[in-house]
Structures are given as structure tokens and as C-alpha cells.
Amino acid sequence: MMSKDSVYTQLESSGKLPVLPEVLLSLLAACEDQDCSISDIADIISRDPALSLRVLQLVNSAYYGCRHSFGGIEQAVIYLGANTVKNLAVTTSVHQVFEEKKVSGTSASDSGRFWYHSLLTATIARRIALAFGGCNADEAYLAGLLHDIGKRLLASAFSEVYPVQKLQDLHGEDKLQLEMETTGLHHCEAGAWLVRQWNLGSLVADAIEYHHEPLDQVGEAFPLVKIVYLANLLANSGQDESQLNGVPLALFGDEHPDISSCVESSSEEVAQVAVSMGIHVSPPAIAPVSASGQELAASGGDRDTIVKDTAHHDHAQLMRATVAARVRNMSLLSTFQEDLMQAEGTDAILAAFEKAMVILFDIHSVLFFLPDREGVLLRCQVSEAGILRHVSQGLSFPLRQSASQIVSAYMEKRQPGYITRDRNGASIADQQILAVLGSDRAYPVPLVVDNRAVGVVVLGLPDGWDLLTEDDRRLVMIIVQQVALRLYVEQEKILKAEALNRERMEAIATTARKLAHEINNPLGIVGNYLVTLRLKLTGETDVLNELAIIDEEIQRISSMVGQMEMYSQAPFSRFEPLDVNAVVRDIIQIAKPSLFNGNGPTVSFIPGTELPLLTTSKDAVKQVLINLLKNAAEAMPDGGRVIVRTRKSQPEGVGDSGGVEVIVADSGPGLPEQVMQNLYKPFITTKQNGHSGLGLSIVQKVVKDIGGKLSCLSSPAEGTTFTIYLPGVLPEGFS
């Protein structure tokens, strides 16, 4: 018998060593590069017409059941996800490489059984990896797909001596021994060596090399070896976990994955994928597992038992059709998980969920209801791209004294049942939600993390749907739980950022108070001396002009110090009935002489009608308006217009009789993106000549102190608009 090194040398020099396509190697490298974009992956696939065709065939196949066909590679990659495309490329490329080899002694049925077993092992391995964790699911799929590739390599390289037919009657160690006697290698060693030649990763090669080792030795290996070992056993046993004799427990301990969920409908998934990829497969006969639980009586589908029973064939076709959607759902779930993990911010999380509902269930109408900061309201929210974005704005539920099933789902942290058009079973508000969804039946699901409610998502069922199936409900709950966790983490991140900002502002306030005190004293002394000098130099015009310049700069410093002192001031405490129109009109009259005169910008006022009297701080409103008008005027030194409008706003909360919005809009150049991103942070400014960048941070502080809200829109084409909302009723805690 030749040594193994000699066999490997012979393989390398034989000219029969299969080579992976260049496009596959480029694609694998791209998928591992975190900076690689979807467009880059699509470009790589487009280089290979055959692979491009397979991708389009798969995404447009019945397996995915898309409502619209895809004609472009980039759209298909976005829909399938990079990982799915990578697995597709690996599968089709490896299949193509070995099917091009003419192997004597093998038939089409041999090839069909081989690829069925390989795809089934890959599918189960990916599912085990997802369920167990601790291992990359794509790596598990690749190792499962290639675990028996050594058989094809040996049959191709040693076609004259490799005993294909004899091996079909053997299993376990007997099969490995016969391979060793005839070729000098068994298929586990040959497959691992080939994968190392392909640079597909040492862990993948290890999983291939050790998938027939004794159970006690595999139990000490890294997770990928265990996963492929178990997947191979399950594939050989017909996915019957009862034949495994405690293997999962021995491999993974008490935390072993749920085998039932890992093998459920896996055969149907393989059949669907194989058809979509153009791979002929033939399911093998299933023989019982040996008593040791370490080997199966049939390995890799070595026996041909294709039963041609027409009646059963029709029934199988029907069953395959009924589970197709379910198989598709399980496959696409990994794409949703990838989208969710990459989502940054609440909007992206909501968008990932909305996309999953469309793809998995054809549900297009989705509304989220998330609690406000005070815990008083559930406010409606959808993503920026959501189809209900405009019709859902302003929708909210009071959390106290509400008969809504949506509120019930949130408060009780359980699914209360369907919302229907039955007026006896739903509140008027719930009926209105159905109208917004455009559905006759809605399914509210609470978002719960560690027994803490973080919101509710409401699904509008499509026309003709009475209920979700049990499988659909189970899948919805899996997705909702993941979204709830991501939203909870996002909310915690926001709270921590706000706490950090509060600490920062407190530090600024302390520093401002100390600086203001230290600076004002010498400024006062200098100012007094300037007054004395002006009195003594009455006739010295030139000197007086220079003193005036000095005085102007001192006043500028004094103004900056005054702004800094705002951080150390207590919130406004004097609240009184206020006519907003009267206050705005007075402030504009005061500001006109100094800010809006000559050839500079103009200002106009459009008062709203039927505004309610507000109970708020007059001084605070004045200070906010002066700051905003000053900013607007300084943004347009060469002329422009400022328009101030007031209007009655929609109610903001329970018992709110309606507040007032004050809008200050200018026709200036707009704010730079950097300033918009840090709009209310102190010391961020585009102005020169000693401006401190404190103005807008002070405006925000004052508005917040009186229970209001401040928002801003800005663009080069439209200018800048600030909107101040002043509540009609004092928020809780204000007096």
C-alpha cells in the first residue's frame, strides 16, 4: 500500500485534481469582507453567466414564491441575501466541477443519491448551527455539503481501482477500510485534503476529516465537527432522531439543539432547492442506525430503493406543494436575521420587520405602537419607507382607561385575539386602526423582553384571510421576539446617551457659572473705566471712536458670558395665561430696529386664528423667539426674508385641549449637515467673530423647561424652519 503522502503527490500530478471556478473564489472572499457591498457581490456573480442564470432561476422559482419576478442580479442578491447567494454559488460550482468528471462505474442514480445526501446534510447542519450557536451557519452548510466530496475525488482520480459497486454494500469502518486498501486514502481524508487545497478553511476541512471518527473522540472536538457529524447521522437515518441513541446529548450536553426543528421538512427543502438549481437528486433507502449510534447502516445514500408507486407519488407531490411555503419561510428567516443584526436605529429595525412580513407572509400593512417617554401614550410608528407612513402620523392610545385591544396587549403582555369589524368586540379606536390598515382583521402582538413590554405590533391581514395558521403564528412570534429585543436594546442605548448628555450639560453649567462669575468682575471694572474716560475726553473724537470699538467688543464678551450663564439658571417658574400672538407681535417690533433694517433681511408675521390661551412662561417664549430671530437674521446678511407664523396644533396627549405652534422660517442657505447632526449641542456653530455656539442649545433648554418641543427642518433650497410646540396644558410636574 502506498503511503498517504505518495497518494497526495499522485493526486496533485495526475491532472485530475478539480479546481474551483475563479468566480467562486472571488465571491467567497467578497462575502467574508465586511466592507464589501451588495453591488460588489452582484458584479462578481455577473461575471459568470451560468451562475447568474442559477441565481435568477432560484429567486424566481416556486421555492421563494415571489409575487414579482426579478430581472437583475443586484435585486436578486438584495432579496436573497449575500449568505444565501454564497451557498448557492458553492453548491452549483462544486456540483458542476464534479459532474464534469467522467467517473467509470458510476451511474446517474449514484450521482443523484450522492447529491441528495450532500444537500440534506448541508441543510441539517445549517439548521443545527442556527439552533445551537457557537458556529457560523454558512460554514456549517459548506462543511455539510462537502463532507463526502472525497468519494467523488477518489472515484475520479482512481477510477480504475475505486470499487464503487462494492462500497455500496458496505458501511462504517468496513467502507473506510476498503477505500484505504484500494487507493491508500479513505474519503474523509481525501475530502479534507481537497478542501485545504481550495483554501476553504481549516475548520471546514476538520469537520470533513472527522465525520466518521468514534463518538467519544468527536465529543471533544470544536462545534463544527460535532455539527457535521450529527447532521450526517440524521441525513442517513431519514431524520429520525429516535435512532440516534443519545448522540446529541453526548455531543452537546444538556444544551443540545432541538433536533425535531432542525430536521423538520428538510427533505422537502432539499427537493425544492435541487429543482431550482437544476441538480438531479434521488432519495436513498433508510436503514436503521447501528446499536452504537456512531454509524448508520447506509452511508451517503448507497442503496437504490426508488419506489415507483404512482398513487403515493401523487400524494408526495401534493405534500411537497403544501409544505413549500413553510420551507421557504424557514430559509428566508436567516435573511431577516441578517437584516435585523445590521439595522442601526429604530427606523431600520422597523423596516427590517416590515420587509420580513411582506416576504414571508405577503402582509403589507404593519403598525408599531411604542410607549412615549412619560409612559402616558402608545404612539404609532412605522419606518420612513413604510406604506402607512403618512396615514399613521398622529395616532396614539392613552394607556389609562382605554378599551383598545392594542392597549390590552401592551398592558397584559399577551396576545388578546384578533381585532375585527365586529363593533361589539372592538373599540372605536380599534375600528379606526382597521381602517388605517385597510384590513377587515388585524393581529396585535405585544413586544416583550424579560416580562417588560416595549410596544405592540399590529399586522393587517390581507383580504380573504380569516386567521393565521398555527405555523405562521409560531413564525411571527419568533420574529417579533427578535424585534422586541432589538428595540429594547435601542431604547436602552438612547437612555444611556441622554443620561450622558445630562451629565455633560451639568458639567457645562457648573463651569459656566464659575466662568461667568470670574469674567464679569473684571469686565465690570473695565466698563466703568471706559465710562470715566469718555467723560474726560469729550472733545477727542478719534479717541472716543476707538473707545467705542473697545466698548463694543466688551459688550460682545458680556453677551457670550450671559449665554453661558443660561446653563446655570433654574428652569422658568413663573407661568401665566399667555396670548401667543400678542407676545410674538411685541418681540418682532422690538427686533426690527436692530435685526431687520436697511438693505438686510425682512421679517413678517402671519398670526393664527382661534388660538387658545396658554399657561406658560412669557419670559421663556420671548427669549426663544429673540434667539431664533437673531439666528435667522445673521444667516442672511445680504438680504432675505423671515416669516413667523402661529397656528393651533393637534392635541398632544390625553386632556390636552390643543397647544400652539410657533414657526420661524427663513430663506437662508440652510444649515450644514454637520451642524444638523449636532444641532442642539453647545459650542457647534458656523458663525465667526466670537460666537460661542450656545444659542440653539439654550433655545432647546428653555423650550424643554416649559414643557414644549422643538424641531428643525433645513435644506439649501428651502432655508431653515424651526417649529416650537407650546402645550395647552402644563405637563405633569410643572406648576
Side-chain angles (χ1 to χ4, degrees):
M1 181 185 297
M2 296 174 59
S3 69
K4 291 181 181 179
D5 289 340
S6 299
V7 177
Y8 292 140
T9 301
Q10 182 177 334
L11 281 173
E12 288 179 324
S13 60
S14 66
K16 296 182 178 181
L17 184 65
V19 179
L20 287 179
E22 183 65 30
V23 65
L24 176 60
L25 298 176
S26 299
L27 183 63
L28 291 174
C31 290
E32 292 174 0
D33 184 359
Q34 295 183 350
D35 297 327
C36 189
S37 67
I38 292 294
S39 297
D40 295 333
I41 293 174
D43 288 341
I44 294 172
I45 294 171
S46 299
R47 298 174 199 166
D48 189 314
L51 181 57
S52 299
L53 178 62
R54 290 300 186 200
V55 169
L56 292 176
Q57 285 178 334
L58 179 64
V59 76
N60 291 317
S61 68
Y63 176 68
Y64 280 96
C66 300
R67 300 178 67 195
H68 307 290
S69 61
F70 292 84
I73 293 297
E74 186 166 349
Q75 289 180 324
V77 174
I78 292 172
Y79 182 81
L80 293 174
N83 290 332
T84 300
V85 170
K86 182 176 74 172
N87 288 339
L88 165 64
V90 171
T91 303
T92 54
S93 298
V94 172
H95 178 261
Q96 178 184 354
V97 165
F98 281 96
E99 288 310 298
E100 288 177 350
K101 302 285 183 181
K102 300 296 183 181
V103 181
S104 62
T106 61
S107 63
S109 60
D110 294 330
S111 178
R113 288 192 297 274
F114 173 85
W115 290 113
Y116 174 84
H117 176 73
S118 297
L119 284 169
L120 183 60
T121 304
T123 300
I124 296 174
R126 175 173 54 80
R127 294 182 177 190
I128 294 174
L130 287 172
F132 175 69
C135 176
N136 184 283
D138 299 313
E139 213 171 37
Y141 180 92
L142 180 61
L145 177 71
L146 300 177
H147 80 287
D148 272 348
I149 205 68
K151 294 180 181 179
R152 305 297 283 181
L153 175 61
L154 294 176
S156 174
F158 302 101
S159 56
E160 296 180 358
V161 298
Y162 190 71
V164 175
Q165 299 302 323
K166 286 185 179 180
L167 288 170
Q168 291 182 4
D169 297 324
L170 300 175
H171 49 83
E173 294 183 1
D174 293 339
K175 176 177 291 191
L176 301 183
Q177 182 62 34
L178 181 56
E179 288 177 330
M180 290 285 294
E181 292 173 357
T182 54
T183 68
L185 294 174
H186 57 66
H187 71 274
C188 304
E189 296 170 323
W193 177 82
L194 178 61
V195 165
R196 291 189 178 101
Q197 298 299 306
W198 285 345
N199 294 317
L200 293 183
S202 62
L203 292 178
V204 173
D206 291 344
I208 295 170
E209 184 168 359
Y210 302 132
H211 76 272
H212 279 303
E213 291 294 312
L215 177 61
D216 56 348
Q217 295 186 27
V218 173
E220 298 179 357
F222 291 126
L224 187 59
V225 173
K226 300 178 184 180
I227 288 170
V228 173
Y229 182 93
L230 179 58
N232 180 51
L233 291 183
L234 285 166
N236 280 320
S237 68
Q239 304 100 69
D240 183 0
E241 60 178 300
S242 65
Q243 298 188 37
L244 297 184
N245 298 331
V247 173
L249 181 63
L251 291 176
F252 300 103
D254 293 333
E255 301 299 323
H256 67 80
D258 178 16
I259 300 302
S260 298
S261 63
C262 293
V263 301
E264 185 178 22
S265 304
S266 55
S267 296
E268 290 84 354
E269 181 175 348
V270 168
Q272 293 279 342
V273 171
V275 169
S276 301
M277 294 184 181
I279 298 176
H280 172 72
V281 295
S282 301
I286 302 303
V289 178
S290 62
S292 67
Q294 297 178 24
E295 292 290 345
L296 299 176
S299 177
D302 292 329
R303 299 185 184 182
D304 186 3
T305 59
I306 302 175
V307 180
K308 297 181 180 179
D309 185 329
T310 304
H312 287 290
H313 175 75
D314 292 341
H315 178 68
Q317 288 290 96
L318 178 62
M319 291 298 294
R320 183 174 288 115
T322 58
V323 301
R326 193 165 155 200
V327 173
R328 172 180 61 89
N329 291 350
M330 295 302 296
S331 177
L332 288 175
L333 184 59
S334 61
T335 300
F336 159 72
Q337 292 169 329
E338 182 180 346
D339 290 343
L340 190 63
M341 291 302 296
Q342 295 175 355
E344 295 184 2
T346 300
D347 186 77
I349 296 171
L350 303 189
F353 180 85
E354 291 166 355
K355 175 184 174 183
M357 292 300 101
V358 172
I359 293 175
L360 292 169
F361 307 106
D362 199 29
I363 293 176
H364 294 257
S365 299
V366 177
L367 296 175
F368 280 86
F369 287 88
L370 306 179
D372 64 0
R373 184 63 51 82
E374 295 75 24
V376 174
L377 299 174
L378 279 181
R379 296 189 184 277
C380 185
Q381 193 167 341
V382 299
S383 74
E384 290 285 351
I387 63 171
L388 302 179
R389 176 74 177 177
H390 298 294
V391 296
S392 64
Q393 291 181 352
L395 298 179
S396 61
F397 285 101
L399 286 174
R400 300 174 183 174
Q401 299 178 344
S402 175
S404 167
Q405 289 179 257
I406 296 171
V407 175
S408 175
Y410 177 82
M411 299 297 290
E412 299 178 14
K413 298 187 283 290
R414 64 179 181 83
Q415 206 282 320
Y418 291 90
I419 300 173
T420 67
R421 293 288 184 185
D422 181 9
R423 288 294 301 276
N424 294 325
S427 68
I428 293 178
D430 285 345
Q431 295 289 315
Q432 291 179 291
I433 292 299
L434 286 176
V436 171
L437 292 167
S439 303
D440 292 329
R441 188 179 295 267
Y443 189 65
V445 187
L447 302 161
V448 181
V449 177
D450 290 337
N451 203 36
R452 171 183 170 180
V454 296
V456 178
V457 61
V458 184
L459 309 179
L461 302 190
D463 292 342
W465 285 31
D466 290 331
L467 301 170
L468 289 169
T469 67
E470 184 63 33
D471 289 337
D472 285 347
R473 284 201 302 273
R474 187 182 301 115
L475 188 57
V476 165
M477 291 307 301
I478 291 173
I479 296 172
V480 165
Q481 288 169 2
Q482 296 180 48
V483 169
L485 181 59
R486 287 289 283 112
L487 287 173
Y488 173 77
V489 171
E490 191 66 24
Q491 291 173 5
E492 289 296 305
K493 188 191 331 181
I494 292 172
L495 291 175
K496 288 181 180 179
E498 290 179 348
L500 182 62
N501 189 58
R502 283 196 300 271
E503 292 176 2
R504 183 185 182 195
M505 297 305 293
E506 289 172 2
I508 291 174
T510 301
T511 303
R513 184 167 53 252
K514 292 179 179 179
L515 283 175
H517 177 73
E518 296 297 329
I519 294 173
N520 275 327
N521 287 336
L523 281 180
I525 295 172
V526 173
N528 291 334
Y529 271 104
L530 283 175
V531 172
T532 303
L533 285 173
R534 281 200 296 267
L535 292 175
K536 291 181 178 180
L537 300 171
T538 306
E540 302 291 336
T541 305
D542 292 340
V543 176
L544 288 174
N545 289 337
E546 291 175 356
L547 290 176
I549 294 173
I550 296 173
D551 185 57
E552 182 180 340
E553 293 305 312
I554 289 176
Q555 293 302 319
R556 189 188 305 277
I557 296 172
S558 179
S559 175
M560 291 169 60
V561 172
Q563 287 184 330
M564 294 177 64
E565 283 187 306
M566 278 299 303
Y567 284 102
S568 62
Q569 290 182 7
F572 292 89
S573 58
R574 186 184 174 208
F575 290 84
E576 57 187 297
L578 189 68
D579 181 344
V580 175
N581 280 341
V583 173
V584 173
R585 192 175 288 110
D586 290 344
I587 292 299
I588 290 177
Q589 291 302 317
I590 293 172
K592 270 186 177 181
S594 59
L595 300 176
F596 304 97
N597 55 23
N599 297 323
T602 62
V603 62
S604 58
F605 176 41
I606 305 175
T609 59
E610 300 181 357
L611 301 187
L613 284 177
L614 303 183
T615 302
T616 189
S617 169
K618 183 177 181 179
D619 292 337
V621 174
K622 284 184 175 182
Q623 183 165 346
V624 167
L625 284 174
I626 289 173
N627 269 279
L628 293 180
L629 289 172
K630 185 172 182 292
N631 283 348
E634 292 175 346
M636 303 179 294
D638 299 324
R641 68 182 185 278
V642 178
I643 300 176
V644 182
R645 303 193 309 274
T646 57
R647 65 187 180 196
K648 185 176 180 179
S649 73
Q650 294 296 320
E652 276 287 301
V654 185
D656 193 336
S657 60
V660 172
E661 287 182 345
V662 182
I663 300 101
V664 180
D666 68 58
S667 60
L671 297 171
E673 182 179 352
Q674 180 185 3
V675 173
M676 284 297 295
Q677 293 175 352
N678 302 277
L679 194 58
Y680 304 119
K681 292 182 180 179
F683 311 119
I684 304 294
T685 182
T686 60
K687 302 175 185 177
Q688 305 299 323
N689 301 322
H691 285 278
S692 63
L694 293 171
L696 288 178
S697 59
I698 291 174
V699 168
Q700 186 201 37
K701 179 181 184 298
V702 172
V703 171
K704 186 176 181 181
D705 285 346
I706 59 176
K709 294 182 180 179
L710 180 66
S711 61
C712 176
L713 295 174
S714 185
S715 71
E718 302 292 336
T720 302
T721 299
F722 283 92
T723 301
I724 309 109
Y725 169 75
L726 302 172
V729 175
L730 284 176
E732 186 175 347
F734 287 78
S735 58

